[in-house]
Amino acid sequence: MKLAEQVRSGEILALSRLLTLIENDSPEGQEALAELHASTGRAHLVGVTGAPGTGKSVLVNRLTQHLRSLENPPRVAIVAVDPTSPFTGGAILGDRIRMRDLSGDPGIFIRSMANRGALGGLARTTSRMVDALDAAGYSIILIETVGTGQAEVDIARAAHTVLVLEAPGLGDAIQALKAGLLEIADILVVNKSDLPGAKRTARTLRAALKAGSSEADWNTPLVMTNALDGEGIPELAAAISEHQIHLRQTGGRGEKDRARVIGEMERLLLYRLTDRFKAAQIDGAYERAIERVVDRELSPLQAINELLKNSS
Ligand SMILES: Nc1nc2c(ncn2[C@@H]2O[C@H](COP(=O)(O)OP(=O)(O)O)[C@@H](O)[C@H]2O)c(=O)[nH]1
Ligand SMILES: [Mg+2]
């Protein structure tokens, strides 16, 4: 059986292999993805972002456990996009907890990005992995990204439902405001509700939410959780489900999917046309242009205009 068919029929080893092929940007992976495209579009994508240490990994683990304990449990996949070294405490602890609590349930699939998807770009690689998991029949895909770099924030933003995590004691509320994280939140989560200061953090964020709420048709809820003991997790799951229904009813889901497609196509077009353009330059004209810009003879715009003029 071909790889795409194996993935579609839920074979775990085939799925793992496809994800590795995607990470390595291999043609075989691209071929399988092309075959699988018609089987995508069913999963609900949930982005989970926030500063390091807010408890994203533990929360994702706890949320998954909760979803799997429901009467009709969805199949859940987790993609962890964590550019921090695997040797930092948080990531290791998060992974260990996951391994211990979630292993053995065939309805759960967990994948950490082995590298930063250096070959294909982080956003592109993640988006393709999500497509593979979608085609493999996971109906909820949780995407954990550190809310620090623009690429990571963009990955979360591309999801249908975006959770932004906060925790007391990091000077965090202000940080999130600065980073513009609040604006992309469909659900705001104040985790570590057991710690002193959690209520104050929630109050600060509620005020900020009110002040900044511009989206007319969805009032971003604030949910307090304790990811360690699971308090607030059922409420969080309910809020995600409500947002999912809201998107379906308002046509927001279609809009988000379309935006994702447009983004992916424009990225591809950009890479393809750039490669083709560079390949068409004769006698190192492109490299020469770079040197002239470096030497301040031309501005980047002048250099590109000149190259375009000479090659048309
Ligand atoms: N007190 C408390 N600690 C938590 C809670 N959730 C996570 N933590 C701890 O916060 C640290 C960072 O958690 P982790 O999930 O790795 O954070 P991440 O970097 O956002 O993925 C770990 O030591 C967790 O045990 C919580 O609800 N309450
Ligand atoms: Mg983590």
Side-chain angles (χ1 to χ4, degrees):
M1 221 195 323
K2 289 177 74 177
L3 182 61
E5 280 171 60
Q6 290 173 323
V7 169
R8 212 180 343 241
S9 64
E11 284 185 34
I12 299 297
L13 283 179
L15 177 60
S16 294
R17 196 161 90 77
L18 175 56
L19 294 180
T20 301
L21 290 171
I22 290 170
E23 263 188 333
N24 296 332
D25 216 12
S26 99
E28 196 189 343
Q30 284 169 24
E31 199 182 304
L33 270 184
E35 276 177 59
L36 287 169
H37 183 72
S39 310
T40 63
R42 284 171 298 189
H44 188 67
L45 315 184
V46 180
V48 182
T49 192
T54 46
K56 294 178 297 297
S57 296
V58 181
L59 181 111
V60 160
N61 162 73
R62 200 58 81 190
L63 181 61
T64 301
Q65 276 182 319
H66 171 76
L67 292 169
R68 293 296 299 163
S69 74
L70 296 175
E71 202 165 322
N72 285 309
R75 294 178 71 210
V76 182
I78 300 170
V79 183
V81 187
D82 195 342
T84 56
S85 152
F87 301 107
T88 60
I92 282 189
L93 183 61
D95 286 347
R96 258 202 225 127
I97 289 175
R98 278 180 192 158
M99 302 288 268
R100 195 181 62 217
D101 296 347
L102 302 180
S103 59
D105 180 347
I108 299 173
F109 186 90
I110 303 169
R111 180 79 177 204
S112 294
M113 299 272 282
N115 54 43
R116 297 207 52 185
L119 292 168
L122 195 60
R124 193 152 52 125
T125 307
T126 309
S127 163
R128 288 175 180 177
M129 284 192 161
V130 164
D131 282 344
L133 292 163
D134 185 350
Y138 292 92
S139 48
I140 296 195
I141 302 176
L142 300 167
I143 306 153
E144 177 193 337
T145 78
V146 179
T148 43
Q150 189 58 48
E152 289 82 10
V153 173
D154 285 345
I155 289 166
R157 198 213 302 268
H160 298 117
T161 300
V162 179
L163 311 187
V164 172
L165 251 71
E166 291 291 338
L170 305 165
D172 38 60
I174 311 301
Q175 265 175 18
L177 288 173
K178 267 197 209 147
L181 272 189
L182 226 51
E183 285 154 41
I184 66 164
D186 296 308
I187 299 168
L188 200 56
V189 181
V190 176
N191 189 38
K192 309 197 184 182
S193 60
D194 53 305
L195 293 188
K199 284 202 177 117
R200 192 158 43 90
T201 301
R203 263 201 309 277
T204 310
L205 290 169
R206 255 195 210 103
L209 270 180
K210 278 219 184 83
S213 69
S214 55
E215 275 207 45
D217 61 344
W218 174 255
N219 286 322
T220 304
L222 185 148
V223 184
M224 295 187 76
T225 57
N226 175 345
L228 291 184
D229 75 0
E231 209 186 316
I233 297 295
E235 288 77 6
L236 176 59
I240 293 171
S241 172
E242 262 170 52
H243 188 246
Q244 186 175 6
I245 291 166
H246 167 83
L247 285 180
R248 223 182 281 138
Q249 287 172 346
T250 57
R253 156 114 201 179
E255 275 170 40
K256 289 202 176 204
D257 284 342
R258 177 172 292 271
R260 227 176 130 237
V261 167
I262 291 173
E264 174 74 2
M265 286 182 59
E266 286 188 355
R267 256 197 312 271
L268 280 172
L269 198 56
L270 185 69
Y271 286 123
R272 283 294 172 86
L273 289 180
T274 304
D275 285 348
R276 193 187 292 174
F277 179 77
K278 284 190 199 166
Q281 300 300 313
I282 33 175
D283 297 336
Y286 190 72
E287 286 70 23
R288 262 205 318 282
I290 290 175
E291 289 314 314
R292 293 181 68 193
V293 175
V294 170
D295 293 340
R296 302 289 188 278
E297 271 176 53
L298 293 176
S299 77
L301 179 63
Q302 286 171 320
I304 291 298
N305 280 343
E306 199 165 292
L307 288 171
L308 281 169
K309 199 168 66 199
N310 294 341
S311 57
S312 60

